[in-house]
Amino acid sequence: MHFKKTGFACLLLVLVSFITIPAYALDDGVENLRRTGKAFASVARQVSPSVVFIQVESKASATSITQFPTPFGDQWPFADDFFKRFFGDEFPGSPRSDRPQGERRSLGQGSGFVFLSKDGLLSDKVYILTNNHVVENAEKIRVQFQDGSEYSAKITGRDPQSDVAVIEIKAGGLPALTLADSSELEVGEWVVAIGNPFGLSHTLTVGVVSATGRTSVGINDYEDFIQTDAAINPGNSGGPLANLDGNVVGMNTAIFSRSGGYMGIGFAIPSNLLKAIANQLIEQGEVTRGYLGIVIQQLTPELAQSFNIESGQGILVAQVSEDSPAQKAGLHQGDVIVAFAGEPVKDIGGFRNRVSLTPPGIQEQLTILRDGKRKILNVTIGKLSQDKPIVQGPAQSAEEIGLTVQTLTRQLAEQFDAEPGEGVVVTQVRPGSISARAGIEPGAVILQVNRKAVKSADEFQRAVEESIRGKRVLLLIRQGGMQRYVSLGW
């Protein structure tokens, strides 16, 4: 009995020793939290004086919805999951007798920040970065600083494709924020978002970098987003995302939300892309982008298998435009681009960004795989230009893949802007078939089967039948004016 009591006492002593936390440990924890809070406060003091509250006035007809347009129109993508722009509330103005009947005013709001201040003897000019969607329809723009000072602003330049805009005011002595090197940003770093959510001026929220290099989000034409869980909401658009040094690593642009409010996923345009776009907008008033003249698609495991290469090795060239820089450099349809300017190519979005930011006239190297062999091509980047239904006929049905096709007669060729004998046209797609799941639609033109041109419905049928044993067929199709490869397996 004495032994048992002693053992119980020892056990109790051990348990107590485990759950007792020394006072100095508690003090250290509180002190660490206090230092963290001081760091955030320091960022707020440094950044907030350069952040502006933007108010935009524009026209709206009485029959229209009083809001700025978003990239999605009236329909949000992905059913209930949508990316919502940060406009904040907008209110119709009071009717005025001197306005045309049916016309009304709308007010929008957003955020921005000073990134360049030019002080001169004759005139002082301050440049402010914001989102294009905040100011694109603006007739009047006013900006308000933290100290209450207000200025009228005008648009220096806009770039809808990247959703970046620069506006300017006449003022002097205003502090500009430093744009950091966003390529050095790491997942897990603390970041601070400052803006005007729901019109609440100069609100600070804190989070971490959740991911970098998000390029296929579907918000802008050119994307390279930083993902963060810092709380950002409507009205934050155009505000800075800063690191603990008080330097800007990104500009808050969009959120992923079911409710329209914060759900832990926000997106910011990285500072390196901001810098490249903003400099061109200030110097030229517009953005000049590099151009290759190719249609590209992601190299899926199925496509990689069809091309007999390892997956994840690059991106696939689905189409090469006539007389384009890519064609002049010797790039072919079916080539796989694995490197650009000596840097590996892993995804479509990153590749497009790098090409677009390369000045026209510059010569760069493209490393490609062709028929399993590595080649290097020298390509001179061009300049991207801003300009840039079925008739009856003999049909063949490929039941294995769920397609019915017809030979391209002269009438069909004229209708689909093709040459007679250049492929076959899809007249029917069986619902639920592998072709339907791959997104092939009636009206698509199939140019190749297993990388061999087909000129008639009979040739198409024979080519598909030859693929039955392998239970996989590779199609090159043209649909909506664009060419792409589709790998079908059954």
Side-chain angles (χ1 to χ4, degrees), residues 33-56:
L33 290 175
R34 186 176 289 114
R35 283 197 294 266
T36 302
K38 291 292 185 183
F40 297 147
S42 174
V43 174
R45 288 193 301 270
Q46 183 176 343
V47 175
S48 293
S50 300
V51 177
V52 297
F53 176 34
I54 300 177
Q55 290 182 310
V56 176

Side-chain angles (χ1 to χ4, degrees), residues 352-430:
R352 289 184 70 225
N353 288 339
R354 287 159 60 187
V355 171
S356 70
L357 293 176
T358 303
I362 297 294
Q363 188 178 83
E364 294 288 4
Q365 283 190 340
L366 277 176
T367 305
I368 65 168
L369 291 176
R370 180 181 297 167
D371 298 325
K373 297 180 180 178
R374 187 176 291 257
K375 298 187 59 149
I376 295 179
L377 305 177
N378 293 314
V379 58
T380 301
I381 304 298
K383 179 181 178 180
L384 180 64
S385 171
Q386 299 298 327
D387 303 326
K388 293 184 176 185
I390 309 301
V391 178
Q392 290 298 317
Q396 289 286 352
S397 177
E399 293 297 330
E400 294 81 10
I401 59 177
L403 286 180
T404 299
V405 302
Q406 294 178 351
T407 300
L408 268 174
T409 63
R410 183 170 299 278
Q411 293 87 348
L412 281 173
E414 290 177 358
Q415 185 173 347
F416 290 96
D417 193 24
E419 295 294 329
E422 184 189 44
V424 295
V425 63
V426 177
T427 60
Q428 186 176 353
V429 181
R430 190 176 71 243

Side-chain angles (χ1 to χ4, degrees), residues 95-164:
R96 283 172 34 183
S97 59
D98 60 340
R99 288 184 186 147
Q101 187 175 2
E103 181 184 304
R104 50 201 254 185
R105 313 298 290 180
S106 67
L107 293 178
Q109 63 187 35
S111 305
F113 61 93
V114 177
F115 77 103
L116 182 61
S117 181
K118 290 186 176 181
D119 298 329
L121 296 176
L122 299 178
S123 64
D124 296 329
K125 188 176 291 187
V126 172
Y127 292 100
I128 295 170
L129 267 171
T130 187
N131 282 129
N132 173 71
H133 71 261
V134 172
V135 298
E136 62 181 334
N137 289 331
E139 291 188 334
K140 295 181 180 179
I141 304 173
R142 290 196 66 79
V143 299
Q144 184 181 72
F145 285 82
Q146 187 183 33
D147 62 5
S149 58
E150 291 189 7
Y151 300 87
S152 293
K154 68 175 184 178
I155 295 175
T156 307
R158 301 188 297 109
D159 182 43
Q161 292 179 297
S162 65
D163 199 16
V164 175

Side-chain angles (χ1 to χ4, degrees), residues 198 206 228-234 255-257 259-266:
F198 303 109
V206 173
T228 178
D229 66 351
I232 46 183
N233 286 286
I255 56 175
F256 180 82
S257 176
S259 62
Y262 169 70
M263 287 189 67
I265 299 179

